[in-house]
Structures are given as structure tokens and as C-alpha cells.
Amino acid sequence: MSEESPKPQRESFYSRLKGSGSHEGILINIFVVNFFYRIFGEGFRVLLIPYAEDVMQWSDYEFGLILSVGGYASMAIVFLLGIIVDIQFKRTTMIVGLVCTIVSAVIFTRMKIFALSILFYSFFAVGQQLMMISTNTFIANETKRGEHRTFGFTGNQVTRGIANVAAPLISMYLLTIDLPNIEYVEWVNWVFTIMAGFALVSLVLVFTLKLVVEDTPKDEINYAEKLSEDSCDEFTKFSEDKDGKKSVLGVQMSFGLGRMLMGFTSGVAIPFVGWYIYGDFISGKYNNAEEIWGWINSIHWAVLTLGYLFIGSFVEKIGKEFIVVVSWTLVIPSAVGIMLASGIYMATAFFIMRSFFAMSPGAAWNSFMYEWIPPKHRGKTLGLLQTGQRGMRATGTLLGGLAFAAFGPTLFPIAMTAYPIAGLLPLIQSKLVKKRLRSRREDKFELEKTEEEKPFTKDYPIGLDSDMNTK
């Protein structure tokens, strides 16, 4: 009687994220650096709304203008940043991004001239883009296609989510502290600076944790290319000829078109969702408005973090592209809920729901996208995609201030209709490209089979018979 073979044990979440050999632990180190940076980044974002609404008392248009100019600033330089990411160690570009955001946080609120506020917010926008490109490219280059890469991006989103749960509570709690010898406006300046301390911790960790193993950036790219080839990233199947490379470029362009469409419509609506909820349901109605806003954002990120884990656990089994399109379709009814909400509880519930469906499939989206981008071009390709997305988002935000002033929350569900379309574009294009590849391979196989089945014949000189019998 043969012994039953033991059932394979299910890998833990941590074990799926581990690297191998000399690269062991680098992925975890990236998450640690990003964790502290995200506490700062989310704190800055959450603080911006009460600062703009209560301290500076900017109008809808002014709030939209400052965000849009920051978007244009990052758009103008993001492709160059992507090129730098490809030719430098990712650690180097992370350092530059962190320095930009720290400078912004320290000086931004101390500039009461509107033009200077725009300038230093732009520093934050540029630094944020550089950190995003560096971190995402880092994770893509350290992971293999499929579940390993999806769990890599999921792990990054989970650490981001945990950081973003803490950030609003910390920043809003600091804002509510009443110091007798410091005016509220001056204390706001210091709260932004205190939150920049988390970015400083992240900067120190970049220097102390192992983020570089290879001798040169070129060796780092070669390591990533080997991972891509071994795990059969989609682009590796189309590298044989010129037509194949054009097909890969076509899929990348579909991602770009989707990002531009989503960039414009999210620019029109998303910055004004929080602005609307804080202004219409919280500010002026509660004495502890900042504390309530902090709790709403923390609960929002707690739910979103659970969403990252939930979707990351099964997305590879069902299909990354399918999950993205379904989730982004459900963003539309969530936006309708925000529009129809009559009180803070309903508005908060749909605010969280909209973010859940819009952001929880982010790891699946990134994993899907990087399958079509070779490692040596990932920085510049993402930079180019971000150029289109940031430019369209900035344009959307610039127009969004006027549109929101005119239409109010009715604007939200109208804009959200673009989300499922943005997901469908690369899904359809990638399916068409893979179908053409299968068709070409089948045609090639049939041709080779036909050649093998042809009867063997041989031409002989005139005067000789087929048996070579000259007698």
C-alpha cells in the first residue's frame, strides 16, 4: 500500500513576496520605505483640504487651479523622470523624489502668496510622480509574471493602506491641538512640517536598507530581463520580429489611451469629491470638523486595505483584466450614491464604496500592464503614460473647478462613466494581439506540416531513369 503524498502547503503572503538569492528581502525593504513615505503623502493630501477651506479660504476654482498646475508641472517633467529611472539605480531617483516632497511640505504653507503656493505644491507633485515611477518600476523588476508580481503590487498597496489609515488620524489630531502661544495658522504650518518627518525617515531608510545588489544599473536591468524571460511576460512572446514589436507597442498605446481618458475624467471629479463632502457635510456643522474628516479618511483606507488583500487573493484565478473592468463599472453607481446622499453617513458610505471599486484592483492593473513592458523601457514607458495621464488630469482639474461650481455633485457619476472604458481598451487590444499571434502560429504549423507531408521526389538528368539504371 503506497503512502499518500502530503498535500502541498499553501504559501504564506510573506513567502510569496520574498525574492531569491542575493535579492532576498529587497521587495520587503521597498515596502518599508514606501510605508513611511505614504504616511507623509496621505497626511499632506488630507491636510490640504482643511488648509485650503478653513485657512486660505480658496474658491472651487482656486483649489482646482493649484492642483491642475501641479499636474501640469509633473506632466512636463515626468517623461524625463522615467528616462532617468531607467538609466539610474531606482534608489537614486527615490532620493530625489523624497527631497522634492520634503521641501514642499516645509515651505508650501508658509507661502501666503497664491503663485508661490502653486510653485511649492508643484514640487510636491513632481516628487510624488518620481516616487511612484521609481517604486512601481522597482517592484515590477523584482518580480516574476503572474501571481508573484500581483502579490508584489498587492503587498505595496497593503502597506500603503496601513500607512494611510494612520496618516489622517495623526495629521488631524495634530491639527486639533490648541497651543496657547501659537496661532492656528502658524500651527498648521508646523503640522505640515511634522508630517514631513515621516518622509525624512523614509529618506534615511533609502540609505540604510538594501535596495541595490547589482554593480551597475545595467546589471539591474539584465536581472529583471532574466526574470521576465523565465516567467514568460507577454512582451517576450512578440520579440521575434518587427510586427511583434509593433503589436506590443499597440497594447502599450491602449494603456496610454485608457490612462488619458481616466486622467481627464478623474481630474474633473475626484479632487472635488472630498472637497464636496468636507464642505457640505462637515465644515461649519461640527466643532471637531478636522477630527471627523480624519476618521472618515482612516476608515476609508482601512476598508480599502482589506479590499487590496481580498482582491489580491483571487484575482489571478479569475483574471486580472476581468476584475479591473467589473470593479471600475461599479464605480458609477457609487458616484450616484454620493450625488444623492442627504447626510454625512450616506455620503461617507458611498465615498468609501467609490474608492473601493476604483482603487482595490490597482495591483491587478499594474501587474497586467507590466507584462507588456520590457524592463529596459519600464521607467520611460510609465513616464510617457503618466505624461498623458497627468496632462489630461491637470486639464480635467482646471475645468473641474468650473464644472463643479456649475453642476455640483451631479458631475461625479457623469465623469465616472469613463472608468470601465479605460479598462476595456487594453483588455480588448491585448486579446486581439494574442489572437493574431495564435493565428500566425497555427498558420506556421500548418505550413510546416504540409511541407513534411509532400511526397519525396528527385529530378534526374535527361537520359537516366528513376532507378539510376544505365544498363
Side-chain angles (χ1 to χ4, degrees):
M1 183 174 177
S2 60
E3 295 182 3
E4 290 186 8
S5 58
K7 293 181 180 180
Q9 292 186 344
R10 184 177 177 83
E11 282 189 297
S12 67
F13 187 80
Y14 174 78
S15 65
R16 298 187 199 197
L17 300 179
K18 289 168 69 177
S20 59
S22 61
H23 284 251
E24 184 78 44
I26 283 188
L27 207 57
I28 304 298
N29 291 346
I30 296 169
F31 300 161
V32 172
V33 170
N34 202 40
F35 172 77
F36 287 98
Y37 167 72
R38 287 295 182 175
I39 293 180
F40 156 71
E42 179 64 10
F44 189 104
R45 188 191 69 81
V46 171
L47 285 166
L48 182 61
I49 290 179
Y51 172 74
E53 180 100 27
D54 299 334
V55 177
M56 300 305 293
Q57 296 182 342
W58 288 332
S59 66
D60 296 341
Y61 176 74
E62 287 174 321
F63 181 67
L65 180 63
I66 197 167
L67 296 181
S68 64
V69 174
Y72 282 126
S74 61
M75 179 204 73
I77 196 173
V78 73
F79 179 59
L80 175 62
L81 297 178
I83 295 174
I84 295 171
V85 166
D86 280 339
I87 63 177
Q88 291 289 332
F89 282 122
K90 310 299 177 285
R91 184 183 69 180
T92 304
T93 53
M94 291 173 80
I95 291 168
V96 177
L98 284 165
V99 169
C100 285
T101 54
I102 291 170
V103 169
S104 171
V106 172
I107 301 178
F108 171 66
T109 57
R110 290 175 166 81
M111 298 292 107
K112 303 307 179 185
I113 301 171
F114 188 67
L116 292 177
S117 294
I118 290 176
L119 174 65
F120 286 100
Y121 179 79
S122 297
F123 268 85
F124 174 75
V126 170
Q128 195 176 40
Q129 284 299 303
L130 190 49
M131 277 296 291
M132 186 276 293
I133 295 173
S134 301
T135 304
N136 282 1
T137 305
F138 223 142
I139 294 168
N141 287 355
E142 288 290 329
T143 51
K144 296 174 285 188
R145 180 203 175 193
E147 193 173 76
H148 187 236
R149 183 171 295 147
T150 299
F151 269 84
F153 282 112
T154 299
N156 190 52
Q157 285 188 318
V158 169
T159 53
R160 172 193 177 186
I162 296 170
N164 289 0
V165 169
L169 295 178
I170 296 169
S171 56
M172 291 298 106
Y173 171 74
L174 289 172
L175 212 57
T176 58
I177 295 175
D178 186 14
L179 297 177
N181 298 323
I182 301 179
E183 293 183 4
Y184 177 75
V185 173
E186 181 62 24
W187 179 236
V188 170
N189 299 340
W190 281 106
V191 172
F192 272 88
T193 303
I194 291 168
M195 294 306 293
F198 289 99
L200 186 61
V201 171
S202 184
L203 182 61
V204 172
L205 289 172
V206 169
F207 286 101
T208 57
L209 293 178
K210 184 177 77 169
L211 293 174
V212 173
V213 173
E214 309 299 338
D215 293 331
T216 66
K218 186 177 180 180
D219 292 336
E220 192 179 61
I221 295 295
N222 290 338
Y223 171 82
E225 286 181 337
K226 182 69 166 56
L227 278 181
S228 287
E229 290 170 5
D230 291 346
S231 60
C232 298
D233 269 327
E234 294 291 355
F235 75 86
T236 62
K237 303 170 187 176
F238 298 88
S239 57
E240 298 175 357
D241 52 39
K242 192 174 180 180
D243 289 338
K245 292 177 180 177
K246 284 182 178 178
S247 297
V248 172
L249 183 60
V251 177
Q252 293 173 4
M253 289 175 65
S254 69
F255 276 107
L257 290 173
R259 277 176 169 262
M260 289 172 69
L261 179 61
M262 183 180 285
F264 178 76
T265 54
S266 63
V268 167
I270 300 307
F272 301 97
V273 173
W275 177 261
Y276 166 68
I277 291 174
Y278 183 80
D280 279 48
F281 296 101
I282 302 173
S283 182
K285 296 178 176 60
Y286 298 93
N287 293 328
N288 57 340
E290 295 90 348
E291 187 178 346
I292 292 172
W293 181 236
W295 275 106
I296 287 174
N297 278 275
S298 289
I299 295 169
H300 153 261
W301 280 108
V303 172
L304 201 52
T305 302
L306 294 174
Y308 293 149
L309 284 168
F310 174 66
I311 289 184
S313 65
F314 66 79
V315 67
E316 286 288 340
K317 298 179 180 67
I318 296 177
K320 297 186 286 286
E321 307 92 325
F322 175 76
I323 291 295
V324 167
V325 173
V326 170
S327 293
W328 285 356
T329 301
L330 293 173
V331 167
I332 300 171
S334 305
V336 172
I338 296 173
M339 179 188 72
L340 298 177
S342 57
I344 185 172
Y345 295 109
M346 186 177 291
T348 299
F350 283 109
F351 169 69
I352 292 171
M353 191 183 298
R354 192 217 68 84
S355 292
F356 179 90
F357 290 124
M359 299 176 66
S360 57
W365 176 256
N366 282 329
S367 182
F368 173 38
M369 181 181 68
Y370 278 107
E371 290 176 1
W372 291 92
I373 307 175
K376 62 182 177 181
H377 299 310
R378 279 175 178 160
K380 65 177 73 72
T381 301
L382 184 57
L384 188 59
L385 295 178
Q386 285 296 106
T387 298
Q389 182 175 1
R390 298 307 300 180
M392 295 302 290
R393 185 179 176 101
T395 303
T397 305
L398 188 62
L399 299 174
L402 299 172
F404 180 70
F407 300 105
T410 306
L411 182 67
F412 302 152
I414 296 172
M416 295 301 108
T417 55
Y419 272 58
I421 299 172
L424 280 170
L425 288 174
L427 168 61
I428 293 170
Q429 182 64 19
S430 63
K431 295 291 184 187
L432 291 174
V433 165
K434 286 192 277 190
K435 185 178 180 181
R436 285 202 301 269
L437 176 66
R438 284 195 300 270
S439 177
R440 285 175 57 191
R441 285 178 174 173
E442 287 171 2
D443 290 344
K444 184 178 179 182
F445 175 77
E446 288 297 326
L447 181 63
E448 290 175 349
K449 187 177 179 182
T450 303
E451 290 292 332
E452 288 175 359
E453 290 176 352
K454 282 183 179 179
F456 177 77
T457 58
K458 189 170 183 179
D459 294 329
Y460 298 100
I462 296 174
L464 299 181
D465 61 25
S466 58
D467 293 327
M468 294 296 289
N469 184 7
T470 58
K471 294 183 180 179

